């Protein structure tokens, strides 16, 4: 139950307005029924013009309409965001006491990064109904130019939050000050320091997480002298994307 298996995908369509068409009045939204999403705390900085690929985990009965009859998805309160590459993946299935059969799923979509996007719910068109789901606290913001070039490999996924390290070229820095972290997402606390090691800077961040099932963060540090600081953007790290059976049960138990 601890491994997320992506064995199938269903393509969806974007819930976007069409120029020249009359605006449709909002329709009633229900509470999602027996489907529940993992609580995701995300503070992501993305420099790829193609957008940021976001995965939102959920748990649903294997025969729920979400798997085969999802028609569109939009970000609650941000219907103007033109999300793309929408897919639903089926993963691990099992029997849970008091709940019956449940299956782990993944809603995969690409969020544009031309401006900052924040949301806490998604609205999905499923079999003709509008269903709303709480997904946590997600913040995605653009960043297109880093002052330091990364060297070598870095941690991209981890089972839990903690200490993460990455190396960068110095760009001429000879006396870097204590780094200042610039991350604001609820549930994610980041502190950082940099150390000069020959012709490299070693960036270390300590990440404390609380209140969510999944954490996705891009540590952003300000590095340099007291009179001049430069941004240092570490690679994005995902924590908790391979949930345990206990986590899957806790997510499923939240459903209405």
């Amino acid at each position: 139950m601890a491994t997320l298996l992506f064995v199938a995908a269903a393509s969806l369509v974007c819930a976007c307005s069409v120029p020249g068409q009359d605006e449709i009045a909002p329709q009633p939204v229900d509470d999602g029924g027996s489907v529940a999403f993992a609580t995701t705390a995300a503070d992501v900085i993305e420099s790829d013009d193609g957008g940021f690929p976001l995965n939102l985990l959920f748990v649903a009965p294997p025969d729920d309409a979400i798997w085969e009859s999802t028609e569109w998805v939009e970000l609650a309160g941000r219907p103007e965001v033109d999300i793309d590459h929408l897919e639903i993946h089926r993963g691990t299935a099992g029997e849970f006491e008091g709940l019956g059969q449940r299956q782990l799923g993944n809603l995969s979509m690409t969020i544009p990064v031309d401006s900052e996007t924040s949301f806490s719910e998604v609205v999905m068109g499923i079999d003709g109904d509008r269903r709303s789901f709480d997904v946590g606290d997600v913040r995605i913001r653009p960043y297109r130019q880093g002052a330091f070039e990364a060297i070598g490999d870095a941690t991209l996924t981890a089972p839990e939050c903690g200490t993460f390290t990455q190396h960068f070229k110095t760009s001429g820095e000879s006396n870097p000050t204590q780094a200042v972290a610039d991350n604001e997402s609820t549930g994610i606390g980041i502190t950082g320091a940099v150390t000069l090691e020959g012709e490299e800077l070693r960036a270390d961040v300590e990440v404390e997480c609380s209140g969510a099932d999944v954490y996705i963060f891009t540590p952003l540090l300000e590095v340099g002298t007291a009179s001049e600081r430069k941004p240092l953007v570490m690679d994005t790290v995902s924590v908790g994307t391979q949930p345990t059976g206990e986590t899957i049960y806790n997510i499923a138990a939240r459903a209405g």
Side-chain angles (χ1 to χ4, degrees), residues 122-201:
V122 294
V123 180
M124 304 176 66
I126 302 175
D127 198 20
D129 296 326
R130 293 170 59 89
R131 295 166 69 176
S132 177
F133 302 97
D134 293 329
V135 297
D137 178 21
V138 179
R139 178 191 186 202
I140 301 171
R141 42 187 175 144
Y143 189 78
R144 301 187 179 278
Q145 183 178 355
F148 299 89
E149 180 182 345
I151 303 171
D153 297 330
T155 300
L156 301 180
T157 61
E160 59 186 18
C161 294
T163 301
F164 300 92
T165 299
Q166 192 167 2
H167 288 82
F168 297 82
K169 290 185 177 180
T170 62
S171 298
E173 277 65 29
S174 59
N175 186 28
T177 64
Q178 181 80 5
V180 178
D182 180 21
N183 296 84
E184 302 175 359
S185 180
T186 301
I188 302 174
I190 299 178
T191 56
V194 291
T195 305
L196 186 63
E197 296 182 345
E199 296 181 356
E200 297 180 8
L201 284 179

Side-chain angles (χ1 to χ4, degrees), residues 48-236:
D48 185 357
D49 291 338
F52 178 72
L54 177 66
N55 296 296
L56 297 175
L57 302 182
F58 66 90
V59 180
D63 60 352
D64 191 274
I66 193 172
W67 302 108
E68 305 297 338
S69 300
T70 297
E71 300 153 353
W72 51 263
V73 178
E74 70 180 26
L75 310 181
R78 300 295 306 274
E80 77 283 0
V81 175
D82 187 17
I83 56 181
D84 201 359
H85 299 103
L86 298 164
E87 293 183 333
I88 289 180
H89 303 262
R90 287 183 184 262
T92 303
E95 184 83 19
F96 291 87
E97 183 178 356
L99 298 175
Q101 282 281 326
R102 290 293 186 270
Q103 186 163 20
L104 182 64
N106 174 29
L107 172 62
S108 174
M109 56 186 174
T110 299
I111 308 295
V113 293
D114 53 337
S115 62
E116 181 174 324
T117 299
S118 299
F119 62 97
S120 59
E121 298 178 29
V122 294
V123 180
M124 304 176 66
I126 302 175
D127 198 20
D129 296 326
R130 293 170 59 89
R131 295 166 69 176
S132 177
F133 302 97
D134 293 329
V135 297
D137 178 21
V138 179
R139 178 191 186 202
I140 301 171
R141 42 187 175 144
Y143 189 78
R144 301 187 179 278
Q145 183 178 355
F148 299 89
E149 180 182 345
I151 303 171
D153 297 330
T155 300
L156 301 180
T157 61
E160 59 186 18
C161 294
T163 301
F164 300 92
T165 299
Q166 192 167 2
H167 288 82
F168 297 82
K169 290 185 177 180
T170 62
S171 298
E173 277 65 29
S174 59
N175 186 28
T177 64
Q178 181 80 5
V180 178
D182 180 21
N183 296 84
E184 302 175 359
S185 180
T186 301
I188 302 174
I190 299 178
T191 56
V194 291
T195 305
L196 186 63
E197 296 182 345
E199 296 181 356
E200 297 180 8
L201 284 179
R202 170 175 167 165
D204 296 283
V205 292
E206 182 68 28
V207 183
E208 296 184 0
C209 301
S210 62
D213 304 305
V214 177
Y215 303 91
I216 309 172
F217 47 85
T218 312
L220 169 62
L221 306 179
E222 295 181 358
V223 178
T225 64
S227 61
E228 182 182 5
R229 293 186 183 274
K230 298 179 181 179
L232 182 150
V233 184
M234 297 177 67
D235 285 351
T236 298

